[in-house]
Amino acid sequence: MSMITATVWVPRGFAARFPTKYDIDENEFARISKLAKLQLGDAQEELQRAQVSENGQVRIDDESEAAEDGVKLPQSNGDADDDLREYDLDHYDSDAVGEDGEGLAMFGNAKSLAYHESNADDPYIILQGNEDEDDEREELQVLATDNMLVAAKVEDEVAHLEIYVYEDGADNLYVHHDVMLPAIPLCVEWLNFVVGKDSSDTSSNANFVAVGTFDPDIEIWDLDTVDRMYPNAILGQGGDDSKGETDPGKKKKKRRKSKKVNDDYHVDAILSLAANRNHRTLLASSSADKTVKLWDLNTTKCAKSYSYHTDKVCSIAWHQKETTVLLSGSYDRTVVAADMRAPDAKVPRWGVESDVETVKWDPHDSNCFFVTTESGIIHYHDARVIPSAPEKSNPVWTLQAHNESVSSFDANPIIPGFLASGSTDKEVKLWNVQPSGPSMVASRNLGVGKIFSTTFAPDSEVGFRLAVAGSKGAVQIWDTSTNAAVRRSFASRMAPPDVEVEERIVGVDEDSSDSEEEGGIEPGSEEGQGGDGWESMGED
């Protein structure tokens, strides 16, 4: 099984030209040791519970409950140490010391050996290896004209982020590096802020990504560091536990991760993330626990929790001008636009005919927003027209865009009126919104399976590029400006081509043997093209 659940672009100029290799210093080692110890402790606790359950005994939450119930737990490590103390195993590997104080081990006189800070200072090392380092540095280079694309991927039950580099001039898309994740990722959001540093200086640029998974924690990763083992920060209960220090003289009481909804962290899967581009220290998240939470990226703590919905909150989006207003859509079939400064105020609420899939403000008209639903319909609402009840909502227009769920949607930030929708019917459709309403421009099956992500590039130089990904685990970059119908519809918003152009779709190069084994068809090939558009073989 391989699928891509979400993608996000990184604007040009934010990625480091030469990403750095992960370096573990003392502070970093101490931090990841706490994280690893926490994860190991949770795993051991779950194993102990399973063993007690298999023995037919009552499930035990902690030692205090065990004592109350009169159940004897397996022998602790401390008791085992008492039995073995007579053998003095703590000094089993200790080296004997001679009369002069020098160790009698094989390399006991190592202190007398010469040591050089750098290999360049060692006269006995002739080959310095600088050429290999230069080659590796050049391979990692990201040019100012390159775009990064982050994809949340699951492959053979292994969850990870794939960080792509897209070279538009060379029609090249390749995986730059990847990041391993602890659980299946559901959403990603790019952050232009150095997370976890309590500083008043918010002017400097950064290149981070927030990842929401089936676990209730949000992980923050630095995209400019390669081969990192642990996230830079964790928002949620996992992050709190890793920072907490207990009294060394007091035994720490084990506790399971709480499933009770609270104001401090999520307790169910993270379904959507939204970074506030105006207040860069703020990140909003929505969850299957029916809450929306606001996080302070300086302290990595939850600043406020909101409960506007009665079912899973699947999509959120910040207003581009009213920077404290957050739009949220839920499986309770309502959409709310709430001012985060007034958590107790009555909020405007709109209703739709089925479960909400995505919500998004119109980037070219701040008074309006889009809603897509499970029944394949796109709603366009004016936020100034507030219904007396959700069922009395009156959208500006509605569009039956697909026969199945509109699982992904985007409005082009550069070209007004240019929309893209993706569906579980495996089709990507492009729309042109005019005063008379929306009309379809083009429809394609790009061979990525059921579509879970459609996102336009954020830079004007690549404004017509659309990233599409889905259930087959592949990403395709569609240059929509090379489509004849798109050129006709948006002729006034793009330069006419000097010569006739072919439709251009860029994907990751793979061996021909791999594509033959998978039975895939290259987009644009004669074999994959139907009478009214591009088609591909069905999913395996």
Side-chain angles (χ1 to χ4, degrees), residues 37-91:
K37 189 180 296 183
L38 175 67
Q39 294 172 0
L40 179 60
D42 289 342
Q44 290 175 336
E45 184 178 353
E46 291 300 323
L47 177 60
Q48 187 181 63
R49 292 176 188 281
Q51 290 173 340
V52 172
S53 178
E54 287 177 1
N55 292 335
Q57 299 180 9
V58 182
R59 292 189 63 179
I60 301 167
D61 286 340
D62 52 44
E63 294 179 4
S64 61
E65 292 184 12
E68 293 174 4
D69 296 340
V71 179
K72 185 177 180 180
L73 288 175
Q75 188 179 27
S76 66
N77 291 337
D79 296 336
D81 290 342
D82 291 338
D83 296 337
L84 298 175
R85 185 169 291 125
E86 61 177 295
Y87 299 104
D88 194 23
L89 295 180
D90 291 338
H91 302 91

Side-chain angles (χ1 to χ4, degrees), residues 110 149 167 207 247 291 293 372 409 424 459 535:
L149 180 70
E167 301 173 332
N207 188 25
D247 184 353
T291 68
K293 285 183 167 49
T372 73
F409 174 85
T424 52
D459 302 293
E535 300 293 339

Side-chain angles (χ1 to χ4, degrees), residues 113-260:
L113 297 179
Y115 172 76
H116 300 277
E117 287 284 343
S118 172
N119 287 343
D121 300 331
D122 193 332
Y124 295 99
I125 297 181
I126 301 175
L127 300 177
Q128 301 295 338
N130 291 333
E131 293 183 2
D132 293 338
E133 293 179 3
D134 292 341
D135 291 343
E136 186 176 7
R137 179 179 169 87
E138 185 176 349
E139 288 178 359
L140 293 175
Q141 183 177 10
V142 180
L143 302 178
T145 55
D146 293 340
N147 281 94
M148 267 189 176
L149 180 70
V150 182
K153 189 171 184 179
V154 182
E155 189 170 12
D156 296 331
E157 300 183 359
V158 176
H160 60 283
L161 294 179
E162 284 189 340
I163 293 85
Y164 297 85
V165 169
Y166 174 59
E167 301 173 332
D168 185 64
D171 292 348
N172 187 27
L173 178 70
Y174 64 92
V175 178
H176 185 271
H177 64 281
D178 60 4
V179 174
M180 301 302 294
L181 297 175
I184 295 176
L186 301 176
C187 53
V188 290
E189 179 71 332
W190 176 69
L191 302 176
N192 177 21
F193 186 77
V194 180
V195 178
K197 293 186 177 180
D198 193 357
S199 171
S200 58
D201 181 18
T202 59
S203 59
S204 59
N205 289 330
N207 188 25
F208 287 74
V209 66
V211 187
T213 70
F214 269 113
D215 287 344
D217 293 332
I218 302 168
E219 295 191 349
I220 311 293
W221 294 85
D222 184 358
L223 294 176
D224 291 335
T225 303
V226 180
D227 297 335
R228 178 175 283 276
M229 295 188 297
Y230 284 88
N232 296 73
I234 299 177
L235 310 183
Q237 188 177 9
D240 291 341
D241 288 345
S242 65
K243 293 178 181 178
E245 290 290 342
T246 59
D247 184 353
K250 183 179 180 181
K251 188 172 182 179
K252 184 177 178 180
K253 179 181 178 181
K254 291 184 179 180
R255 64 186 180 93
R256 300 177 63 193
K257 287 192 174 182
S258 173
K259 286 293 185 181
K260 184 178 180 180

Side-chain angles (χ1 to χ4, degrees), residues 308-535:
Y308 295 125
H309 296 279
T310 59
D311 206 338
K312 298 178 180 69
V313 187
C314 56
S315 183
I316 52 177
W318 288 104
H319 195 281
Q320 59 266 42
K321 292 185 178 179
E322 299 294 334
T323 56
T324 59
V325 174
L326 185 73
L327 192 68
S328 61
S330 168
Y331 287 177
D332 64 10
R333 303 186 177 186
T334 66
V335 176
V336 169
D339 191 330
M340 300 288 100
R341 298 171 300 180
D344 300 325
K346 184 178 180 180
V347 295
R349 192 181 299 269
W350 294 264
V352 292
E353 80 292 337
S354 61
D355 293 354
V356 173
E357 290 287 345
T358 61
V359 296
K360 188 174 184 65
W361 291 100
D362 187 341
H364 305 285
D365 186 349
S366 59
N367 295 316
C368 299
F369 62 87
F370 302 93
V371 184
T372 73
T373 67
E374 187 183 28
S375 58
I377 296 177
I378 300 175
H379 300 253
Y380 187 63
H381 284 274
D382 189 330
R384 297 167 295 184
V385 181
I386 302 174
S388 57
E391 59 271 13
K392 295 182 179 180
S393 301
N394 185 24
V396 177
W397 51 258
T398 59
L399 171 67
Q400 183 68 54
H402 297 267
N403 294 326
E404 297 184 17
S405 170
V406 182
S407 50
S408 62
F409 174 85
D410 201 12
N412 194 298
I414 311 298
I415 301 98
F418 190 16
L419 311 179
S421 63
S423 171
T424 52
D425 64 9
K426 307 178 186 179
E427 292 285 326
V428 178
K429 294 184 180 181
L430 305 179
W431 307 90
N432 182 17
V433 180
Q434 299 172 317
S436 58
S439 59
M440 191 176 73
V441 177
S443 176
R444 291 288 182 271
N445 184 326
L446 300 181
V448 298
K450 295 179 180 180
I451 296 168
F452 299 142
S453 178
T454 52
T455 52
F456 282 108
D459 302 293
S460 58
E461 298 87 349
V462 286
F464 281 91
R465 311 306 184 268
L466 179 69
V468 182
S471 61
K472 288 191 174 181
V475 175
Q476 299 283 358
I477 308 295
W478 183 10
D479 183 358
T480 59
S481 66
T482 60
N483 180 274
V486 172
R487 292 200 301 274
R488 288 193 299 268
S489 298
F490 300 96
S492 60
R493 284 163 267 185
M494 58 189 298
D498 298 330
V499 295
E500 184 177 354
V501 295
E502 295 183 359
E503 196 157 6
R504 186 165 64 123
I505 298 175
V506 180
V508 177
D509 290 335
E510 296 182 355
D511 295 338
S512 58
S513 59
D514 293 340
S515 59
E516 289 175 4
E517 291 174 2
E518 295 171 4
I521 294 180
E522 288 292 326
S525 65
E526 294 181 0
E527 188 178 357
Q529 187 167 349
D532 56 352
W534 292 9
E535 300 293 339

